[in-house]
Amino acid sequence: MPELAEWESFYVIVGSAAGALIGLQFVVMTLVADRPPLRAAEAGAAFGTPTIVHFSSVLLLSALVRVPWQTVTSAAVVWGLVGLGGFAYSVIVARRVRRQRGYEDAYQPVFEDWLCHTVVPLAAYAALALLALVAPSRTGDALLGVGAVALVLLFIGIHNAWDAIAYYVLVSSADREK
């Protein structure tokens, strides 16, 4: 499909970035594994694992766009399923973030956490699912939208990874030293 071929360079760059950032997350997790903060499992499920899911979604979208689809409808069905799956997962993450408030010794999420860990991913995955519906009639616009969603997920993953590491290094380690 010629419409998808025009996006080759974009998805090579975005997919490579997502793949590299997934690897970097594993390196960071290995480095901090010897001194986990309190409630690390609950916090990881709410704040760490979703970051890997977002990076993986970007990597998957980048690979899917490079598949030699016969029609845009086939590609749209697959990215629509990615959107629906990501939306459902984001709902689960929102419940996990809310649960953080139930622990006295756990991190208490603030507005930025709710925005970056729940609202923006929910909106991005919902947009991806909706773009699948308009793709057959407005292919160019849908492809632009999928590219935008991939960038949003990439940048929200970068923000969330940085936020988690900064919290661990600056706040959590300072609390352990007291």
Side-chain angles (χ1 to χ4, degrees):
M1 256 184 76
E3 294 93 348
L4 293 175
E6 296 173 4
W7 286 89
E8 179 178 2
S9 296
F10 174 82
Y11 282 105
V12 166
I13 293 167
V14 171
S16 298
L21 290 167
I22 290 168
L24 193 55
Q25 274 294 104
F26 282 102
V27 170
V28 169
M29 292 303 289
T30 301
L31 293 174
V32 300
D34 63 331
R35 297 179 64 189
L38 294 173
R39 303 261 183 229
E42 292 90 352
F47 300 110
T49 303
T51 301
I52 295 298
V53 170
H54 302 327
F55 288 150
S56 298
S57 294
V58 172
L59 186 59
L60 178 60
L61 284 174
S62 298
L64 290 174
V65 170
R66 297 309 310 141
V67 170
W69 301 104
Q70 298 300 314
T71 65
V72 74
T73 304
S74 303
V77 166
V78 177
W79 82 56
L81 292 173
V82 172
L84 290 174
F87 186 86
Y89 180 71
S90 294
V91 169
I92 293 168
V93 169
R95 287 182 27 222
R96 290 175 179 168
V97 169
R98 194 177 95 217
R99 244 187 274 146
Q100 294 297 302
R101 301 174 79 183
Y103 301 117
E104 289 179 25
D105 58 347
Y107 174 74
Q108 300 297 310
V110 296
F111 174 76
E112 180 184 353
D113 297 321
W114 287 105
L115 181 68
C116 295
H117 290 277
T118 60
V119 175
V120 173
L122 276 167
Y125 288 117
L128 190 59
L130 292 174
L131 287 164
L133 299 175
V134 301
S137 61
R138 301 190 56 132
T139 302
D141 293 337
L143 290 172
L144 186 61
V146 171
V149 167
L151 284 178
V152 166
L153 290 173
L154 183 66
F155 285 117
I156 205 69
I158 291 169
H159 170 274
N160 293 350
W162 175 258
D163 193 46
I165 298 307
Y167 176 79
Y168 179 80
V169 170
L170 301 175
V171 177
S172 184
S173 62
D175 287 347
R176 279 194 302 268
E177 289 177 10
K178 287 182 183 175

